[in-house]
Amino acid sequence: MHAPISPAVLADLRRPRPYPAVSILLPTHRREPDNAQDAVRLRNLLEEAKDAVHNDPEVSRADRIDVIGQLDQALGEVDLVHAEDGLAIFAAPGEHQVWTLARTVPARVLLAQTFLTRNLVAAHVANQPYWVLALSADVATMWSGSKGRAPEQVTGSFPIRRVQEDFDPEREERIGDTPSIFNDESTRQFLREVTEKAGVVLAADPQPLYVVAESEALAALDDAGKLVKESAGRIVQGGLAEGPAEALRKALAEAAGQRAAEEVGEVLAELDQARSRKAFAGGVDEVWQSVAEARVALVAIEDGYRATVRDDGDHLVPAATGDRGARDDIVDEIAEQALDTGARVRFVPDGELADVGHVAAVLRY
């Protein structure tokens, strides 16, 4: 299973592949008895995908053998014991990937030249991703977090460890005690490095940042740069610079929940203002048309909203799954297309948009 999605990962997923790029989507279940048939459904979809690859005259014998082998390897990596709400398997010549999603998806097999990414994009946004910087006097770590998941530690430029200086007993004898660990020059240099490298992470993938540290460490980091001032929240708790992840999740729960509630309020206020100035769209058909015309600045979607529609040539109209031309994940299509045109996409609790068709948008013009 892959780590949380990022702009770089998404860009790589969306690049063209040698045909066939196979996408398999499966709705999964977290608990019994709903999860009892997930393994059977998965094998059925894999067989459907293999048959499609095998019977496609555009696929060479070498690529057919390769992709079918990639699908078999992907099956071996699926962990249905710890399933979430959806599963995505991608396979192409020379590669395969397995993604678990905290958002349901329609069952689907697709052969194309790119992977089907819209469900991953929508799940990523709905999960309210954020960064965590956990700090002590000696080490700083970065973590990638999201709603309902324990944070995962970021590697690469982190962790950052302060270079330890030799203890100076003569200085202690002259002064009478040891200096504050957050006032010496080596620590200030360490905190400047933390600020710089955290800024690089945030620039590459802008998400809310939470800083977790003792009060003295927070104050020292505040002096080193803008991270603390511009953070979404600060949690005064020490001993978490190296986790564990579950302890960090518990420490962040209140601050992240408060931040999410504030953001919902801000989104609803924007929608109200848009209505008053007639820059508002409501319902899946209106919002989809506005998104397609790149007129949308903000799209708000209820967490649990799903719709199956078909295009009658002028509008999207309700349809049943399996109908000719039915689009089962139009809501996720809207989310991905909106992001592609530079709009913001926000998910709100179910019921907040019931009076406008469960999805709404603020228009640019």
Side-chain angles (χ1 to χ4, degrees):
M1 301 285 185
H2 282 263
I5 200 168
S6 69
V9 169
L10 181 59
D12 180 69
L13 282 172
R14 298 170 92 177
R15 66 177 170 81
R17 258 74 180 178
Y19 186 83
V22 181
S23 301
I24 300 174
L25 301 175
L26 174 71
T28 53
H29 305 85
R30 298 173 186 249
R31 301 175 185 85
E32 297 178 344
D34 295 332
N35 63 2
Q37 295 299 312
D38 283 353
V40 174
R41 295 188 187 102
L42 175 58
R43 289 186 178 277
N44 289 342
L45 284 177
L46 278 167
E47 289 305 313
E48 180 183 338
K50 289 179 183 179
D51 288 344
V53 171
H54 184 79
N55 296 324
D56 192 327
E58 295 184 26
V59 181
S60 68
R61 181 177 183 276
D63 285 345
R64 181 169 66 246
I65 293 170
D66 186 349
V67 172
I68 289 175
Q70 297 291 340
L71 290 170
D72 286 334
Q73 291 181 56
L75 177 61
E77 296 174 14
V78 173
D79 179 11
L80 290 176
V81 174
H82 300 98
E84 294 185 286
D85 302 305
L87 180 72
I89 294 176
F90 300 138
E95 65 172 317
H96 67 272
Q97 301 185 32
V98 178
W99 292 84
T100 179
L101 292 76
R103 180 174 169 82
T104 192
V105 298
R108 176 172 296 172
V109 171
L110 179 69
L111 274 62
Q113 287 202 277
T114 58
F115 294 139
L116 184 64
T117 59
R118 57 176 170 257
N119 307 103
L120 267 72
V121 172
H124 175 62
V125 177
N127 286 347
Q128 300 169 358
Y130 56 81
W131 295 112
V132 184
L133 175 64
L135 178 70
S136 70
D138 300 312
V139 62
T141 54
M142 281 288 284
W143 304 71
S144 174
S146 62
K147 182 174 66 177
R149 285 180 172 172
E152 298 183 17
Q153 190 167 357
V154 175
T155 57
S157 55
F158 285 86
I160 302 171
R161 299 186 184 277
R162 183 172 71 94
V163 177
Q164 296 288 346
E165 294 186 342
D166 293 336
F167 174 63
D168 184 356
E170 292 184 2
R171 184 187 189 287
E172 181 178 2
E173 184 176 343
R174 291 194 308 272
I175 297 177
D177 61 1
T178 57
S180 168
I181 56 175
F182 290 104
N183 287 336
D184 64 90
E185 181 54 34
S186 68
T187 303
R188 285 193 288 269
Q189 183 177 345
F190 161 66
L191 293 175
R192 286 193 291 270
E193 182 182 2
V194 170
T195 298
E196 178 182 341
K197 290 186 175 178
V200 171
V201 172
L202 290 168
D205 187 4
Q207 304 292 353
L209 171 71
Y210 296 91
V211 185
V212 182
E214 295 177 349
S215 57
E216 192 176 5
L218 287 170
L221 185 64
D222 195 12
D223 290 338
K226 298 179 180 179
L227 279 181
V228 176
K229 293 184 182 71
E230 297 179 352
S231 66
R234 61 195 79 179
I235 293 88
V236 183
Q237 185 170 337
L240 295 177
E242 299 195 73
E246 181 59 21
L248 269 173
R249 186 192 67 79
K250 291 179 179 178
L252 287 160
E254 182 178 350
Q258 181 178 344
R259 169 70 180 175
E262 290 172 353
E263 188 171 76
V264 169
E266 292 166 1
V267 167
L268 297 177
E270 281 193 64
L271 292 172
D272 284 341
Q273 292 168 11
R275 279 198 245 201
S276 66
R277 66 175 190 271
K278 302 188 186 307
F280 177 88
V284 67
D285 182 45
E286 277 190 27
V287 172
W288 171 247
Q289 290 192 37
S290 299
V291 166
E293 295 167 358
R295 297 175 56 210
V296 169
L298 166 70
V299 174
I301 303 167
E302 288 187 355
D303 281 324
Y305 179 53
R306 302 290 185 277
T308 300
V309 300
R310 62 178 177 81
D311 191 340
D312 73 353
D314 296 314
H315 298 281
L316 298 181
V317 297
T321 298
D323 285 357
R324 184 177 181 84
R327 295 155 78 169
D328 295 312
D329 52 0
I330 187 63
V331 174
D332 289 358
E333 282 192 54
I334 287 173
E336 183 178 52
Q337 182 67 22
L339 289 168
D340 283 347
T341 61
R344 292 174 293 137
V345 176
R346 298 292 183 266
F347 285 79
V348 301
D350 291 340
E352 293 287 359
L353 304 174
D355 62 332
V356 293
H358 311 287
V359 55
V362 175
L363 306 181
R364 295 190 177 104
Y365 60 90

